[in-house]
Amino acid sequence: SQQGEEDPQALSIQEGENATMNCSYKTSINNLQWYRQNSGRGLVHLILIRSNEREKHSGRLRVTLDTSKKSSSLLITASRAADTASYFCATDAGGTGGYNKLIFGAGTRLAVHP
Amino acid sequence: DGGITQSPKYLFRKEGQNVTLSCEQNLNHDAMYWYRQDPGQGLRLIYYSQIVNDFQKGDIAEGYSVSREKKESFPLTVTSAQKNPTAFYLCASSGAWTVNTEAFFGQGTRLTVV
């Protein structure tokens, strides 16, 4: 079963606008991570936020985490056509024997139009 | 050039055949993962491994097998017991025994049953 659920499933915006994607999860986590996937390619790590952090920034990316609501959001500011991709949240809740186990959500497909 | 390499990029399998997907990393990572991605969907965890000669089942392990004889290598065999193997397969690696670490992905193998 998937741990994270992204919302919306698809998002279409114009260049220069901000894009906000949300992720909800079910169990306690060590951290939450956001990844980007261009069509037919592997995933690229964007940002990691620890369970004791509430907000983190990286360039045009802003991630928030609310552990009481078991939710996170990814904000991309001043979007560009090159930001067009699928975005996934992944939670690290620990697997068998305390091993790291990354579980991904279904993703948000972002289309940024020139 | 450090990274994670999957081969082949495209693979065709006849009904009833076993096929093996290769995943090699030179990042000195302890943890390695196999995910399956269906069109327009998120990633589902098949198997993961934190150390040599040890691996754990993920959410959809049935019809798949893995081995971890070397730290650098984590091959995935899709057996004839997997009834619907057509999908995009992604391998990833990360540092283990360390909480809060990102995963690095290969470029994927697209498997098609013919």
Side-chain angles (χ1 to χ4, degrees):
Chain A
S1 59
Q2 290 180 322
Q3 163 80 308
E5 297 287 340
E6 280 97 337
D7 169 52
Q9 290 185 335
L11 182 60
S12 181
I13 60 174
Q14 297 296 125
E15 262 191 332
E17 293 181 340
N18 295 343
T20 299
M21 290 159 263
N22 302 296
C23 170
S24 60
Y25 57 92
K26 299 172 185 174
T27 65
S28 297
I29 59 172
N30 296 323
N31 65 69
L32 186 143
Q33 304 177 33
W34 285 91
Y35 289 80
R36 166 192 168 128
Q37 183 183 34
N38 285 19
S39 182
R41 306 296 297 274
L43 278 69
V44 175
H45 181 262
L46 295 176
I47 197 164
L48 180 153
I49 186 165
R50 294 177 171 81
S51 60
N52 62 353
E53 296 176 315
R54 292 296 166 258
E55 187 171 314
K56 204 161 183 180
H57 297 253
S58 177
R60 293 185 296 114
L61 305 180
R62 173 179 168 250
V63 168
T64 62
L65 179 65
D66 186 336
T67 53
S68 66
K69 295 182 179 177
K70 292 186 169 60
S71 68
S72 173
S73 68
L74 170 68
L75 169 67
I76 304 174
T77 61
S79 63
R80 307 165 183 168
D83 294 328
T84 295
S86 291
Y87 292 82
F88 295 90
C89 70
T91 52
D92 180 358
T96 304
Y99 293 168
N100 295 350
K101 181 182 176 185
L102 272 182
I103 302 294
F104 285 79
T108 292
R109 293 184 301 282
L110 173 66
V112 182
H113 303 284
Chain B
D1 227 1
I4 181 164
T5 302
Q6 290 186 240
S7 63
K9 190 171 181 179
Y10 300 96
L11 186 57
F12 297 89
R13 190 194 96 168
K14 293 182 179 178
E15 298 263 2
Q17 272 186 340
N18 291 356
V19 290
T20 297
L21 283 60
S22 170
C23 180
E24 303 275 335
Q25 55 97 0
N26 60 4
L27 300 167
N28 199 33
H29 283 164
D30 288 306
M32 297 188 75
Y33 310 81
W34 274 105
Y35 293 91
R36 169 180 171 141
Q37 186 177 32
D38 291 286
Q41 303 295 313
L43 279 66
R44 291 186 289 169
L45 183 62
I46 305 172
Y47 270 99
Y48 62 112
S49 167
Q50 297 286 335
I51 54 173
V52 174
N53 293 323
D54 187 50
F55 46 83
Q56 306 292 331
K57 291 182 179 180
D59 298 319
I60 56 164
E62 186 174 351
Y64 300 97
S65 66
V66 294
S67 63
R68 188 84 187 275
E69 297 176 0
K70 298 186 299 181
K71 187 176 184 178
E72 303 79 18
S73 179
F74 191 42
L76 172 75
T77 296
V78 184
T79 75
S80 56
Q82 172 49 240
K83 297 307 177 190
N84 185 24
T86 294
F88 190 49
Y89 291 87
L90 287 159
C91 179
S93 70
S94 70
W97 309 118
T98 304
V99 181
N100 304 319
T101 181
E102 67 186 85
F104 291 80
F105 281 81
Q107 290 303 301
T109 293
R110 191 167 300 279
L111 174 64
T112 304
V113 174
V114 296

